[in-house]
Amino acid sequence: MHIVFATVELATANNASGGLASFTANMARIFAENGHKVTVLVAATKDEKLKFDENIAVETTYIKKSVWDAFDRAAKFLAFGGNKKNLDLRKFFISVYKSRQVRKKIQEINRVEKIDIVHYCDWNALAYRADKKIPFVVRVSSFMNIWEGANLPEGNIEYAKNKLSIRDKWIVYVLKKSRYIIFPSKLLAEIGKKELGLNATVIESPFRLDIKDWDYSLYQSNGAGKRYIIHYGNMRYFKGTHIVALTVKKILEKYPDIYLVLVGRSEALLDEKGEKVRADELIKKNAGEFSDRVICMGSLPREQLYPFIQNAEICFLPSRIENLSNACIEAMAMGKIVVATNGASYEQLIDDRVSGFLCERDNPESFLKAIYEALNMSKEEKDKMILKASERIKLLNPDTIYRKYFNYYNKVIKEWYR
């Protein structure tokens, strides 16, 4: 089978990447290892040389400066000076343009070696101009109106209560025209069915823990010998970083030997005066006299992040909503105790107080209670929880997920040509 993964990002060795990029890399490698011809097509916004596995072809497209300038002029004219609408229109133009580039590139690849199926693995509507002669599936990793609503200070994860942008409406249009849609998360699949009437299939994402290229240098100089809780990912309201800011002082005050390690890019949060402050700076400020026990590492590639996760006491993940959290999967696979949010998709991975802890969304006291309980667990209790977490993550092993995807692709191909 020749499969093309069309995406907007790909995890490479020197790139601090998110869940979509990791998913693409994992899937490409798993199918290549099982003897399939794999091409990864990355629709980037800028010209970049991606170094990936030698046995996997990587094709790229990007937006030239002249095209960017044309989008900017058109967006400004049509938005009549409104900055938010201007940005919305520009994103819409970019997405439409990328879908056109992807269609053209896929047709070029297909002329050289016949493509059996295309997997569009992002929410960017790259499938808008999909060549209907080639079978394809679309994987939905988020609903951007919910993600943006969840990233506001007040936060709201209800689909109907979060306004759709022009691009969001266009993506919904593309999804409704697609016959085969995959969700990794049961929560998002249910939203897709209920709100949009989508024909949703749930297939979880594969996970493998590769330790051969880990870089321990930053961990040795910043984390080694310390007992700490870690919060990682882009630090923002959507990821529940405000909960970390609201709980940090009480945790550090109650446990004098505990540190807090922060890894990820900081966005702005509001302080008690309603002023914007960088997330890591707000957490240190809120820690008060214990601020010297808050360690801020900034964004790290996985090779440097993993040693910090591996040696943490607790992984603190209070996100308001997730897809199928890669951060949670990584932590559970490394035998870590995860404290996360109930009703945010973590419940698909965690059985509360059996394989981790689930807390009430946006409730600092609920998270404090779980963290205190986790820190006070006996070794026997920890070992039992870690074992249960490990058993759950084994269900995501590459062989199992490969077989599910392979069977699904074959089903799509057979039905496509009927």
Side-chain angles (χ1 to χ4, degrees):
M1 179 185 292
H2 181 194
I3 178 169
V4 173
F5 292 99
T7 184
V8 292
E9 54 185 55
L10 175 67
T12 57
N14 60 349
N15 178 33
S17 54
L20 171 60
S22 297
F23 168 81
T24 309
N26 285 339
M27 287 289 287
R29 287 173 176 138
I30 290 165
F31 271 82
E33 289 165 4
N34 279 278
H36 301 280
K37 166 72 176 177
V38 175
T39 303
V40 179
L41 172 54
V42 182
T45 52
K46 61 182 180 180
D47 190 12
E48 51 187 339
K49 305 301 180 185
L50 298 174
K51 292 183 179 180
F52 199 58
D53 302 19
E54 291 182 1
N55 63 324
I56 297 174
V58 177
E59 302 280 350
T60 60
T61 68
Y62 72 98
I63 301 174
K64 295 179 180 178
K65 185 179 184 302
S66 58
V67 178
W68 275 110
D69 291 342
F71 289 157
D72 285 338
R73 289 193 298 271
K76 285 177 183 176
F77 175 76
L78 293 172
F80 301 106
N83 289 335
K84 188 171 183 181
K85 190 176 180 183
N86 179 3
L87 179 61
D88 186 15
L89 283 167
R90 192 173 74 150
K91 285 180 179 179
F92 169 69
F93 293 151
I94 290 167
S95 295
V96 174
Y97 184 77
K98 281 185 176 182
S99 70
R100 181 186 173 197
Q101 286 181 304
V102 165
R103 175 188 169 94
K104 184 178 178 181
K105 200 72 174 179
I106 284 173
Q107 289 175 332
E108 289 175 5
I109 295 167
N110 191 50
R111 282 194 290 271
V112 175
E113 185 168 355
K114 181 180 179 295
I115 298 169
D116 294 292
I117 194 165
V118 179
H119 181 133
Y120 295 96
C121 45
D122 76 308
W123 43 262
N124 215 265
L126 296 181
Y128 169 60
R129 296 293 302 276
D131 188 332
K132 301 300 190 298
K133 296 176 183 178
I134 304 172
F136 69 87
V137 302
V138 179
R139 177 182 180 267
V140 178
S141 54
S142 65
F143 291 112
M144 285 311 296
N145 65 319
I146 298 178
W147 262 234
E148 290 172 5
N151 201 41
L152 298 173
E154 62 276 14
N156 191 307
I157 68 162
E158 292 185 51
Y159 185 91
K161 292 186 178 180
N162 286 296
K163 185 179 178 182
L164 292 167
S165 67
I166 295 170
R167 184 176 66 163
D168 292 335
K169 292 175 183 176
W170 176 65
I171 290 171
V172 168
Y173 168 76
V174 174
L175 288 176
K176 286 186 174 182
K177 287 182 63 179
S178 302
R179 292 169 60 192
Y180 300 99
I181 302 174
I182 301 167
F183 289 85
S185 158
K186 294 176 184 177
L187 176 64
L188 293 193
E190 187 57 34
I191 293 171
K193 288 178 183 178
K194 179 182 175 183
E195 301 291 345
L196 304 174
L198 299 180
N199 179 24
T201 297
V202 177
I203 307 178
E204 294 181 338
S205 304
F207 179 75
R208 68 170 83 204
L209 192 62
D210 189 352
I211 65 172
K212 67 179 185 296
D213 295 320
W214 286 15
D215 178 356
Y216 285 84
S217 58
L218 287 176
Y219 167 74
Q220 290 295 341
S221 57
N222 292 276
K226 295 181 175 71
R227 190 176 177 223
Y228 60 87
I229 295 168
I230 186 170
H231 173 65
Y232 54 104
N234 286 339
M235 287 184 276
R236 55 202 309 207
Y237 283 108
F238 163 70
K239 291 291 185 181
T241 303
H242 57 293
I243 297 297
V244 181
L246 291 170
T247 56
V248 58
K249 186 171 183 178
K250 289 183 178 179
I251 295 169
L252 299 183
E253 185 175 31
K254 187 175 179 67
Y255 295 92
D257 63 330
I258 286 287
Y259 287 74
L260 174 66
V261 173
L262 304 173
V263 180
R265 179 172 58 84
S266 278
E267 294 188 8
L269 302 180
L270 300 180
D271 64 13
E272 69 280 2
K273 296 178 182 178
E275 296 177 355
K276 289 185 177 181
V277 182
R278 254 180 49 163
D280 55 353
E281 293 176 358
L282 179 62
I283 292 169
K284 280 189 79 75
K285 176 185 173 184
N286 283 7
E289 63 267 37
F290 311 111
S291 62
D292 60 326
R293 285 192 276 136
V294 177
I295 301 170
C296 303
M297 298 304 304
S299 294
L300 298 177
R302 277 178 162 70
E303 290 74 18
Q304 293 180 326
L305 166 62
Y306 279 175
F308 282 99
I309 300 174
Q310 183 189 47
N311 293 284
E313 286 280 322
I314 294 172
C315 293
F316 191 4
L317 306 175
S319 301
R320 284 170 163 167
I321 191 169
E322 287 283 353
N323 184 4
L324 193 65
S325 171
N326 210 55
C328 182
I329 293 169
E330 291 164 342
M332 292 172 73
M334 290 185 218
K336 298 293 102 182
I337 305 297
V338 176
V339 175
T341 310
N342 194 21
S345 281
Y346 291 109
E347 65 278 5
Q348 188 171 330
L349 298 166
I350 295 173
D351 187 1
D352 188 28
R353 286 171 169 75
V354 175
S355 53
F357 292 85
L358 295 174
C359 306
E360 185 180 341
R361 182 185 293 108
D362 283 340
N363 185 335
E365 294 304 318
S366 178
F367 282 97
L368 281 173
K369 181 180 177 182
I371 287 171
Y372 295 164
E373 188 174 336
L375 289 173
N376 291 332
M377 290 170 71
S378 67
K379 184 180 183 304
E380 183 182 2
E381 289 171 326
K382 284 183 182 179
D383 289 345
K384 191 179 293 185
M385 184 171 281
I386 287 167
L387 177 62
K388 289 295 183 181
S390 176
E391 289 173 353
R392 173 63 180 94
I393 299 307
K394 283 178 182 176
L395 299 178
L396 304 179
N397 77 77
D399 289 340
T400 299
I401 302 302
Y402 161 73
R403 184 55 51 188
K404 289 181 178 181
Y405 265 103
F406 179 70
N407 290 340
Y408 185 73
Y409 291 157
N410 272 325
K411 170 182 175 290
V412 171
I413 292 168
K414 287 177 184 177
E415 291 180 359
W416 199 274
Y417 294 115
R418 281 181 185 170

